[in-house]
Amino acid sequence: MHEVKVDMVEGGGGGFINFSGDLIFEDIRRIKEQVDAILSEWNRKKLSIRISGVTSFDLSFLQLLEGIAAYLEKREIELSVEWKMDDETRLLLEHTGFEKYT
C-alpha cells in the first residue's frame, strides 16, 4: 500500500484538507472515503485544499479534485487549491486542461 496522508485542519471561517504522498488509482477509494467523511459534516463557507509532498498522482486524483469542486460549488462553499509542484508537473496540468490547479 502506498503512503497517503489526508489531514483536516480547521480554524477561523474555514479549514484545510492537506493531501500528500501517492495520490493514485490504487488509493483513491480510501482517499475519497476520507474526503467524503470530512465534507459530509462541513458547515463552513470556505475550504482550502493544500497539496504538497506528492510522490505521484494520476488522473483519478484530478477527477477527485473536480468532484470536490463540483460538490462545494453546489453547496456555495468557496474553494481554493494550493499545490506545491515542480515545473514539469505545472506544464503537464496546463497542457491537459487542469491549469486551474497550478
Side-chain angles (χ1 to χ4, degrees):
M1 177 177 289
H2 302 282
E3 177 188 344
V4 177
K5 188 173 182 185
V6 178
D7 294 317
M8 179 66 213
V9 180
E10 293 189 55
F16 302 92
I17 296 177
N18 297 308
F19 289 100
S20 62
D22 289 323
L23 306 171
I24 57 174
F25 180 77
E26 288 84 2
D27 298 312
I28 210 67
R29 182 178 302 201
R30 185 167 50 95
I31 296 169
K32 184 180 180 314
E33 288 171 358
Q34 293 173 346
V35 170
D36 286 348
I38 292 167
L39 294 181
S40 69
E41 298 181 14
W42 193 254
N43 60 1
R44 297 177 185 239
K45 289 294 181 188
K46 293 182 181 181
L47 177 67
S48 296
I49 293 178
R50 293 180 177 168
I51 307 164
S52 63
V54 174
T55 50
S56 62
F57 74 96
D58 62 18
L59 183 57
S60 65
F61 178 68
L62 296 173
Q63 290 171 324
L64 176 64
L65 287 179
E66 291 288 299
I68 292 169
Y71 176 81
L72 294 177
E73 184 177 344
K74 285 181 187 175
R75 295 186 59 205
E76 298 180 356
I77 297 172
E78 181 183 330
L79 172 65
S80 64
V81 177
E82 179 183 317
W83 191 338
K84 295 182 181 178
M85 66 183 73
D86 58 29
D87 290 338
E88 184 177 317
T89 301
R90 183 176 323 286
L91 281 172
L92 174 67
L93 293 180
E94 288 173 357
H95 290 280
T96 56
F98 293 99
E99 61 275 343
K100 65 183 171 185
Y101 300 120
T102 61

